[in-house]
Amino acid sequence: MEQGFYKHMVTPSLAVLEEQAAENTRLLEEMNRKWDEEREAERKEKLSTHIPAPLKASGQELGDVMKHLEELIVYENYSEEEEDKTKFIKARLRHLDENAQVAAVAHSLAAYVSMLEPTHLKTFTDKIIEDTTLWVSSLFRFKDASAYFHTEEREGFVRVLRLAIHEKYPRFSSDGYEALYSRPPVIYISAAAKPGLGQYLCGQLGLPLSCINTVPCLTASRYQHRIDVAALEKLISDDIASAKTPVLVLAYAGTPALGQVDNIQKMREICKKHSIWLHVEGNHLACLTLFSVPTNVSPAKTGNSMTLNLAGWLGLPAVPYVTLYKSSDHNLVQLSGLASHNVEYKLICLPLWVCLQNMGHQGVVDRVKACVDMAKVAYEKMKPYSTLKMVSNPPKPKSQEPESTGFSNLLARAVSAILIFEIVSPSVVFRYTGEREEDKEKAPYAVKGEETRDVAPYANTSKKLNGEEELESEEVPVSSEIITQAYCDALNLWLAETLKREVPKVELETTDVINEGTCIRFAPLETAHVYETTTEDIEKLGKSLRKQLSILDATVRHKEIFHDVVEAQDNFRLVDVPNWAGLGAVQYIPDMWLDKLHDLPPAGKAQINHLNVEILRQLKSSDTAFSLGRTDQDVYIRFGLITEDTDMEELIGLVYTVAMEVEESSKYVEEMAEVVRKGIEKANEDLKKENDEKLMQEGVLRQVPGFSFLANWWSPPAKEPGIKGRTFNLSSGKIASTEETYKYHMQIQENNPEQRQSTARKGPLKANLKPPKRRSSETLQDHVSGHESRASTASTASVESSKAGGDQKATDVNSEATEVN
C-alpha cells in the first residue's frame, strides 16, 4: 500500500515539481543571459559614445544609405529632422551628355584599376600619363611639354613657382631658405589677379609677402585690366638693382574679371631677356584649340608654363586641371613636386584620357567654338544699347583683323597665337550706366505698336488707347548727383537677377570692377556646358534684356522728377537708400510733427512709423509697386521700378492722396475716442443721477432688506416701462435713453446733417500736389492740363475699368526691385 501511495501520489508530484524547477531554471538563465547582453550593450554604448550614429554597430542597410544619398542630391536644403518634404528646395540637376557619362564611368574604372598588381598598375598609369600629356600639349600647341594633373586650381601654379625658384637658386635644395637670404626672390603678379593670390603663394612656399610685387595695369579704360608692360620692365630693373632676383611673371590670357589679355609677346621678350619664368593662365587659352597648325609652321610659345581648365572648357565633370611646363632638369622637377610617385594619384587623368579619345579633335573644337560663338552673339545683342557699357574688350571688327584671320577660316589657317587672343573674346562683361548718347533720338529697344489698355491709375494717358498717333514723351536729363555709382550698382544687381530668373540657362554673375563698380559677366566657357546653354538661349536673353532695359531707363529718366516733386511736398521727406533699385523712398510726416522734426519725441516717431505702415498697407491692397523699408528708427515707403507709360506725378499723387486719407482717418479715430470717453462719462453721470432720484422717490424703507417686501405690498410702486439705459450715436456723438429702444423694439437713427463724408478721389491725383521747386507753378499746371486734354479722347469706361483691374499689369515690375545689403 505504501508503495502504491508513492507510485500514484508522490512520484507524479515530484515529476511535476521537477519540471517546474527545470522551467524556472531555464527562465532564470534566459533572464541572466538577457541581463548580460544588456550590460554588454551598455558597456559598448559607453565605449562608443565618440562614434557618430550612422556608423555605430554593424552599419546601415545599403538601400537606406542610397536613399539618403539620393535625397541629399535631389534637395538643396535636405535635413533628416524635417519630415515635411514640401519645405525642401529641389536642386537643378544637370543632364549628362555622352562625354559627361563617359567621364563618370571612367572615375569608377579608375577606382577599380587601382586594385591591380603594383607592376601592372605602374605600367598602366605610365601609359595613361604619357598619352594624355602628348594629346593635351598638341591640342594647345605646347609641344614637348610635360604635364602635371591636379584637382586644386592654383596647385599647379605653386609647383611651377617652386620649380622656378629651384632653377634660380641651385643651392635651395641643400641650404633651404638661407640660399634666398642674400638675393630674395621676387614674383610679379598683375593687379587684376584674383584677390588673395599673393598671400596664397607665400603661404604655400613659406615666403614673406615682400616677395610679391604687384604690377599696375594700364590706365586706359579700354585696357584697365591689362598689365602695364613698361611698369613691369621698370620694376624688374629696379629689383635687380636692389640685389633681388626676379623669379616668375604671371601673365593672363583673359583676366579673371574682364577677360582682357596681357601683351604676352612683349612680356615674353622681357622674361627671356632677364631669364625669368613666364606662366600664363586664362580662359582665352582654350581658343588655341581652334587652329590647325601646318607642319611647316612652328608652334607658338606663349611662355614656360600654362594652366588649363579642361573641366570647364569642355564640360567634363571632375576632370583635373592640367599645368603644362617645359623643363630639362628632371631632378628639379622631382624636387618641386611636379613628378608624383603616387601611382594611384596619377589615375585622376584616366577620365580625361577616355574623354579626349571619345571627343576627338573635332569634338574639342566644336565645344570651344560653340562657347566663343555664344559670347559673340551676346555681344551683338548688347552692342546697340547706349545705356550699356561694354567693360570687356569687344571682338575686333573684320576690317581690323589681319587678312588671314577671318573667323570663318580659323580652322584652316595657321596664325600667331598672340593674334588669336586679340581676335576672339570668349567672355562678355557689361554694366548698366543709365547714360544715353545725345545723338540718338530714340532708344533701340523702344517697343512700337504695343498698346496697353489696362493701366494703373497713375499711368500716363497721353498715349491714345485706340491706336491713334502717339505723342512724343519729354526727355528728362539725368543728374549725376541723383544717379550715383551705388544706385547704378543696385540697378545692375537687379538686372542680373531678373535676367537669370527669366533665362535660367544663361548663367550671369556679378563682379566688382575697380573704377567701374558692379558689372555683369557672361563667360560661356565656364558655365555653358554646365547649364546647357545654347544660341537660342542667347536670343531669349537678348529679348529679355530689351524689356528690362526699357524699365531701367524709364526709372532712371524719371528719378530726378521724382526727387523734385517729392521735395516740393511739405509732408514728404526723401529717404536716402542708395542700395535700392527703384525710384526712391519717402516718409510721410503728419502736419502736427512738421515743425518738430529736429526734436522729435519717441511718441512722435512711433506715430509717424505707424502711419507709414498703414499707408503702405492701403497702397499694397490695390498695387504691388510699393514696399516697406526700415532703419533702426524709421519706417519709410519705397517706390519700385516703373515702365515708360507711368505718369510720375500721378504716381506720387496717389501716395500723397492715400497718405492724407490715412491721416484724416487717424485724426477721426482720435477725435471719436475722445468723444466716446466723454460720452461714457456723461452716461455714467446720468445713470447715477436717475438712481439717486429713484431712491428719493421710493424712500429708504424700500431699500432695507425685509421691509422692502412689506412696503411694496402696502404701497405698490409705479410700473416702469422697461429697463432704462443709454445709447451713444457714433455719427452724431449724442447720448440718448434706451426707453424708446425697448418700447418699440428697434433702434431709431437720427438724421445727422453734419455726418462725416468720406473723401472721394475725384479728378487727377496729381492735382493734390504742389509744383516742384525747379519748375514754376504755371509750368506744372500746363503740364497737368496738357495731359488731361490729350487724354480726353480716351474712353472713360476704359480708364475707369483700368483702375479696378489694370493696376497689377502696369506695375508688376515694381515689386521686383531688390535691396542689396
Side-chain angles (χ1 to χ4, degrees):
M1 183 175 180
E2 183 177 355
Q3 292 180 352
F5 173 77
Y6 279 101
K7 180 178 180 181
H8 296 286
M9 297 295 295
V10 178
T11 303
S13 299
L14 291 176
V16 171
L17 289 175
E18 185 179 358
E19 291 178 1
Q20 291 178 352
E23 179 67 19
N24 292 335
T25 303
R26 187 185 64 78
L27 292 176
L28 290 174
E29 291 177 352
E30 181 70 17
M31 291 175 62
N32 288 331
R33 186 182 62 80
K34 290 183 178 180
W35 287 342
D36 291 340
E37 291 178 354
E38 290 177 0
R39 284 194 294 266
E40 182 66 17
E42 290 177 359
R43 187 182 69 83
K44 289 183 177 180
E45 182 68 24
K46 291 179 180 180
L47 295 176
S48 61
T49 52
H50 63 287
I51 303 298
L55 305 182
K56 288 184 177 181
S58 301
Q60 305 177 55
E61 294 291 337
L62 181 60
D64 298 335
V65 176
M66 299 307 295
K67 179 64 176 178
H68 185 204
L69 177 62
E70 179 184 356
E71 291 174 337
L72 288 173
I73 295 174
V74 173
Y75 301 109
E76 294 182 1
N77 59 339
Y78 175 74
S79 175
E80 296 180 6
E81 300 175 356
E82 181 63 50
E83 296 181 356
D84 187 6
K85 291 189 176 182
T86 58
K87 297 182 180 180
F88 297 152
I89 301 174
K90 284 192 174 182
R92 182 180 175 185
L93 301 180
R94 175 188 170 186
H95 173 72
L96 298 181
D97 58 9
E98 180 183 354
N99 293 288
Q101 292 177 6
V102 169
V105 172
H107 281 287
S108 300
L109 290 175
Y112 175 76
V113 169
S114 64
M115 297 185 296
L116 295 176
E117 293 293 334
T119 305
H120 185 190
L121 180 60
K122 186 179 183 305
T123 305
F124 178 86
T125 53
D126 289 344
K127 173 63 175 176
I128 298 298
I129 291 289
E130 180 183 355
D131 290 346
T132 309
T133 301
L134 175 62
W135 298 339
V136 174
S137 59
S138 300
L139 284 173
F140 290 90
R141 306 176 63 196
F142 208 70
K143 294 291 185 65
D144 302 326
S146 301
Y148 175 66
F149 303 92
H150 49 97
T151 56
E152 207 280 326
E153 181 180 6
R154 295 178 288 190
E155 184 181 353
F157 184 24
V158 172
R159 302 292 177 99
V160 165
L161 177 56
R162 187 179 286 116
L163 174 61
I165 293 176
H166 278 289
E167 288 187 352
K168 282 290 185 179
Y169 299 91
R171 298 179 60 86
F172 179 63
S173 59
S174 59
D175 297 346
Y177 291 105
E178 292 182 0
L180 312 178
Y181 181 76
S182 59
R183 296 184 65 88
V186 183
I187 305 158
Y188 302 90
I189 63 174
S190 171
K194 290 183 178 180
L197 177 60
Q199 290 85 339
Y200 177 81
L201 296 176
C202 292
Q204 292 294 315
L205 299 176
L207 299 175
L209 290 177
S210 57
C211 293
I212 301 296
N213 202 337
T214 303
V215 185
C217 296
L218 297 173
T219 56
S221 59
R222 179 179 174 86
Y223 303 109
Q224 57 180 329
H225 273 212
R226 175 181 288 187
I227 201 168
D228 189 343
V229 178
L232 172 64
E233 191 169 13
K234 185 177 184 305
L235 289 173
I236 292 175
S237 301
D238 293 344
D239 288 335
I240 294 175
S242 302
K244 296 182 180 180
T245 303
V247 173
L248 181 142
V249 174
L250 173 61
Y252 278 110
T255 54
L258 301 186
Q260 295 182 354
V261 180
D262 295 329
N263 190 345
I264 299 177
Q265 185 175 10
K266 183 65 177 176
M267 295 175 68
R268 184 177 59 184
E269 294 174 359
I270 296 173
C271 292
K272 186 176 181 181
K273 176 182 176 182
H274 298 282
S275 300
I276 303 175
W277 189 285
L278 179 63
H279 182 75
V280 185
E281 292 182 354
N283 287 334
H284 284 64
L285 291 175
C287 299
L288 288 173
T289 61
L290 296 176
F291 298 85
S292 177
V293 183
T295 56
N296 61 342
V297 178
S298 60
K301 298 179 180 180
T302 58
N304 301 92
S305 60
M306 63 171 66
T307 298
L308 311 173
N309 179 16
L310 298 182
W313 299 344
L314 303 180
L316 304 176
V319 166
Y321 293 90
V322 182
T323 296
L324 299 177
Y325 62 94
K326 294 181 180 180
S327 178
S328 57
D329 195 331
H330 184 70
N331 291 329
L332 296 182
V333 172
Q334 293 283 351
L335 290 173
S336 61
L338 288 170
S340 175
H341 295 286
N342 189 340
V343 180
E344 287 79 6
Y345 184 76
K346 292 181 180 180
L347 288 174
I348 64 173
C349 70
L350 179 59
L352 183 60
W353 181 83
V354 176
C355 292
L356 287 178
Q357 294 183 86
N358 184 59
M359 296 171 64
H361 176 248
Q362 187 62 43
V364 174
V365 170
D366 290 342
R367 292 207 165 202
V368 176
K369 183 176 179 295
C371 295
V372 174
D373 288 342
M374 281 188 281
K376 186 175 182 181
V377 173
Y379 171 77
E380 294 297 331
K381 294 294 180 182
M382 301 171 187
K383 182 179 178 181
Y385 303 121
S386 59
T387 53
L388 284 183
K389 179 180 180 181
M390 305 307 298
V391 182
S392 60
N393 288 339
K396 281 188 176 182
K398 291 184 179 180
S399 59
Q400 298 182 14
E401 297 177 5
E403 184 178 354
S404 61
T405 59
F407 191 82
S408 60
N409 299 323
L410 290 182
L411 300 177
R413 301 182 183 183
V415 296
S416 171
I418 307 303
L419 291 179
I420 295 173
F421 299 144
E422 293 294 333
I423 297 170
V424 184
S425 180
S427 61
V428 180
V429 183
F430 60 97
R431 171 178 169 84
Y432 178 81
T433 61
E435 299 176 358
R436 298 170 59 87
E437 296 181 6
E438 296 179 356
D439 57 341
K440 290 190 177 182
E441 298 180 359
K442 198 170 186 180
Y445 44 77
V447 182
K448 296 181 180 180
E450 295 184 3
E451 303 296 340
T452 305
R453 295 189 177 275
D454 293 333
V455 295
Y458 46 80
N460 190 340
T461 55
S462 60
K463 297 181 180 181
K464 301 303 179 67
L465 298 177
N466 295 323
E468 299 179 13
E469 181 181 358
E470 297 182 353
L471 297 176
E472 294 293 335
S473 60
E474 179 184 357
E475 291 292 337
V476 181
V478 180
S479 172
S480 60
E481 299 178 358
I482 297 177
I483 310 302
T484 61
Q485 179 171 341
Y487 180 66
C488 284
D489 290 346
L491 293 179
N492 280 274
L493 288 170
W494 177 88
L495 178 61
E497 292 298 325
T498 305
L499 292 176
K500 287 169 63 176
R501 184 171 58 251
E502 293 198 350
V503 192
K505 286 191 174 183
V506 178
E507 176 63 15
L508 301 174
E509 63 175 352
T510 55
T511 178
D512 291 329
V513 179
I514 300 176
N515 300 327
E516 293 290 345
T518 301
C519 300
I520 303 174
R521 180 171 178 263
F522 172 53
L525 271 173
E526 300 175 5
T527 62
H529 300 298
V530 176
Y531 291 91
E532 303 175 15
T533 311
T534 61
T535 307
E536 289 74 14
D537 297 320
I538 306 301
E539 295 290 341
K540 295 179 182 178
L541 177 68
K543 295 178 181 179
S544 177
L545 183 65
R546 175 186 182 185
K547 180 177 66 174
Q548 306 308 329
L549 285 181
S550 65
I551 295 170
L552 290 178
D553 282 356
T555 303
V556 169
R557 286 199 300 270
H558 287 82
K559 189 173 179 64
E560 188 169 3
I561 300 177
F562 173 81
H563 276 234
D564 293 344
V565 176
V566 169
E567 288 177 348
Q569 315 309 315
D570 297 334
N571 297 90
F572 272 161
R573 181 177 71 88
L574 272 172
V575 181
D576 184 22
V577 189
N579 54 357
W580 171 248
L583 279 172
V586 300
Q587 187 182 48
Y588 183 80
I589 309 296
D591 293 333
M592 64 179 297
W593 299 112
L594 284 176
D595 300 332
K596 304 176 183 179
L597 289 178
H598 298 290
D599 190 18
L600 196 63
K605 293 182 180 179
Q607 183 179 355
I608 293 174
N609 291 340
H610 177 74
L611 186 64
N612 280 269
V613 171
E614 182 61 25
I615 293 171
L616 180 67
R617 190 183 67 81
Q618 296 282 351
L619 291 171
K620 294 196 72 166
S621 63
S622 59
D623 201 311
T624 59
F626 311 97
S627 60
L628 189 67
R630 294 180 182 272
T631 60
D632 294 338
Q633 296 181 347
D634 295 330
V635 173
Y636 50 87
I637 301 169
R638 297 182 301 195
F639 287 68
L641 300 168
I642 62 172
T643 54
E644 188 64 35
D645 59 352
T646 301
D647 189 332
M648 177 55 55
E649 292 169 351
E650 190 73 9
L651 173 63
I652 301 174
L654 170 66
V655 179
Y656 191 77
T657 304
V658 172
M660 289 191 300
E661 292 177 355
V662 172
E663 183 182 9
E664 274 186 45
S665 175
S666 177
K667 290 179 180 179
Y668 177 65
V669 170
E670 292 176 0
E671 293 172 359
M672 289 305 301
E674 182 66 20
V675 171
V676 169
R677 186 183 63 82
K678 292 181 179 179
I680 292 174
E681 292 177 355
K682 188 175 184 302
N684 288 334
E685 292 176 0
D686 292 345
L687 291 174
K688 183 179 179 182
K689 185 178 179 181
E690 287 185 1
N691 288 332
D692 293 342
E693 291 178 354
K694 180 180 179 181
L695 180 62
M696 294 300 296
Q697 292 176 2
E698 294 180 350
V700 180
L701 290 177
R702 293 185 185 271
Q703 312 302 322
V704 179
F707 290 94
S708 60
F709 176 77
L710 183 60
N712 291 334
W713 173 77
W714 182 262
S715 177
K719 188 177 182 180
E720 296 181 359
I723 302 174
K724 289 185 178 181
R726 293 293 184 271
T727 61
F728 180 71
N729 192 320
L730 291 175
S731 300
S732 62
K734 294 181 179 181
I735 297 177
S737 174
T738 59
E739 184 176 353
E740 293 185 355
T741 302
Y742 287 104
K743 181 179 180 181
Y744 298 106
H745 299 284
M746 62 180 297
Q747 291 184 347
I748 300 175
Q749 183 69 34
E750 295 183 9
N751 292 329
N752 184 15
E754 299 178 358
Q755 187 174 359
R756 186 182 184 89
Q757 299 292 334
S758 60
T759 304
R761 304 179 190 178
K762 298 180 180 180
L765 300 178
K766 68 182 76 174
N768 297 327
L769 301 175
K770 292 183 179 180
K773 296 179 181 179
R774 300 188 187 183
R775 289 186 290 174
S776 64
S777 176
E778 181 180 356
T779 304
L780 178 60
Q781 187 61 32
D782 293 342
H783 181 67
V784 174
S785 61
H787 279 303
E788 294 176 0
S789 62
R790 288 193 294 267
S792 60
T793 58
S795 172
T796 303
S798 299
V799 175
E800 291 299 328
S801 62
S802 69
K803 293 182 179 180
D807 294 355
Q808 183 70 29
K809 181 176 180 181
T811 59
D812 276 345
V813 68
N814 296 318
S815 61
E816 298 175 358
T818 56
E819 185 171 8
V820 185
N821 295 321

